Amino acid sequence: MKLATQFRGTLVAIEEKSMTGSNNKYYQLAVLQGSEATSLSCTEEVYKQNKEMFKDYVFGMQISEYEGKKTLRVTGIYDLPGTATAPGTAAADPGKDKDKK
């Protein structure tokens, strides 16, 4: 069984690891939610998203169960609604056009 969910948290760290004596790589990230922190596995695509640390995001997560074993995996990191800016642009200054009529 697989379930998908989303949650809001702060990205604290993300790293690539490999198993001892093996070329197999896996990826983990650390997420802070309130005063609790945890380490979660994530996909290679999430690892390569190159998100800013110590910033709030919405995390997509897949919860799987197979033969009684449960796994959690982050499948996406998304900007909070209304906070994304296009690359190469700055936030608008609301007072910029104030004197124009």
Side-chain angles (χ1 to χ4, degrees):
M1 175 175 67
K2 291 184 181 180
L3 299 173
T5 189
Q6 293 182 341
F7 67 94
R8 181 178 171 171
T10 304
L11 181 62
V12 178
I14 189 163
E15 64 183 340
E16 176 183 311
K17 294 184 172 188
S18 57
M19 297 184 151
T20 306
S22 172
N23 286 338
N24 294 339
K25 294 180 183 176
Y26 63 99
Y27 308 92
Q28 287 190 308
L29 51 84
V31 177
L32 178 68
Q33 191 177 48
S35 62
E36 299 288 327
T38 192
S39 180
L40 298 166
S41 66
C42 65
T43 63
E44 183 177 8
E45 292 78 20
V46 168
Y47 173 78
K48 290 181 177 182
Q49 280 186 307
N50 203 16
K51 293 290 189 175
E52 188 177 333
M53 298 298 127
F54 303 102
K55 186 175 172 190
D56 289 344
Y57 294 101
V58 173
F59 295 84
M61 175 178 278
Q62 182 181 56
I63 304 165
S64 301
E65 183 178 9
Y66 180 71
E67 294 182 354
K69 182 179 176 185
K70 292 183 178 102
T71 59
L72 305 172
R73 178 173 288 227
V74 175
T75 56
I77 302 175
Y78 312 99
D79 291 321
L80 294 175
T83 61
T85 56
T89 63
D93 179 1
K96 182 178 175 183
D97 297 325
K98 186 172 151 182
D99 296 329
K100 290 185 179 179
K101 294 185 180 184

